[in-house]
């Protein structure tokens, strides 16, 4: 019985060692966003194109939250790149961030509401 328990424990350890942690959405503030963008991060406004035309943060691309799951993989194949998302209130950017994590992107940051950086 003792050998069985030791064997079971060893098997459990071997099986659990190779698992990677699932990435999570990270929060970023305005200063952090600016530094990251200066170092190559991609800034994405997830509001509608009409909202984007009314004003957006410098260097931001526009990908509506409803289409980001299709558009982003066509545009950005590197799933290790830093991606920062924002919107008007933070609701859509949080939704988009979770979508990107589900698609396998590993470095997803949520700035939240754009007004705090305007």
């Amino acid at each position: 019985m003792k050998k069985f328990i030791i064997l079971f424990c060893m098997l459990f350890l071997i099986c659990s060692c190779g698992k990677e942690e699932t990435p999570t959405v990270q929060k970023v503030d305005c200063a952090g966003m600016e530094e990251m963008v200066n170092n190559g991060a991609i800034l994405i406004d997830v509001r509608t194109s009409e909202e984007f035309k009314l004003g957006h943060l410098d260097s931001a691309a526009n990908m509506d939250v409803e289409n980001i799951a299709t558009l982003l993989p066509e545009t950005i194949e590197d799933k290790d790149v830093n991606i920062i998302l924002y919107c008007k209130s933070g609701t859509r950017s949080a939704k988009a961030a979770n979508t990107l994590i589900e698609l396998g992107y590993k470095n997803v940051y949520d700035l939240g509401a754009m007004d705090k950086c305007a």
Side-chain angles (χ1 to χ4, degrees):
M1 181 70 169
K2 188 175 182 180
K3 288 181 182 180
F4 176 75
I5 293 172
I6 292 172
L7 180 62
F8 178 77
C9 289
M10 288 175 51
L11 189 59
F12 177 76
L13 288 172
I14 291 169
C15 291
S16 63
C17 286
K19 293 184 182 178
E20 292 182 27
E21 286 188 37
T22 303
T24 58
V25 176
Q26 302 172 66
K27 296 289 185 182
V28 66
D29 62 12
C30 297
M33 178 268 301
E34 288 179 14
E35 182 179 339
M36 290 176 68
V37 168
N38 289 337
N39 289 313
I42 298 167
L43 182 62
I44 301 175
D45 183 324
V46 298
R47 299 175 302 148
T48 65
S49 59
E50 292 79 18
E51 290 173 294
F52 185 79
K53 289 175 189 172
L54 294 175
H56 57 272
L57 299 178
D58 290 341
S59 76
N62 181 227
M63 290 188 193
D64 187 316
V65 65
E66 300 302 325
N67 299 310
I68 199 164
T70 304
L71 295 174
L72 192 74
E74 293 174 356
T75 310
I76 303 170
E77 294 178 11
D78 181 3
K79 297 202 175 185
D80 291 320
V81 69
N82 290 326
I83 300 172
I84 305 168
L85 306 169
Y86 74 88
C87 63
K88 181 173 174 68
S89 68
T91 303
R92 290 177 281 182
S93 61
K95 179 180 176 184
N98 286 321
T99 298
L100 297 187
I101 292 292
E102 290 172 9
L103 290 172
Y105 290 89
K106 297 179 181 110
N107 300 304
V108 180
Y109 296 81
D110 185 5
L111 178 64
M114 70 178 272
D115 290 346
K116 62 184 178 185
C117 297

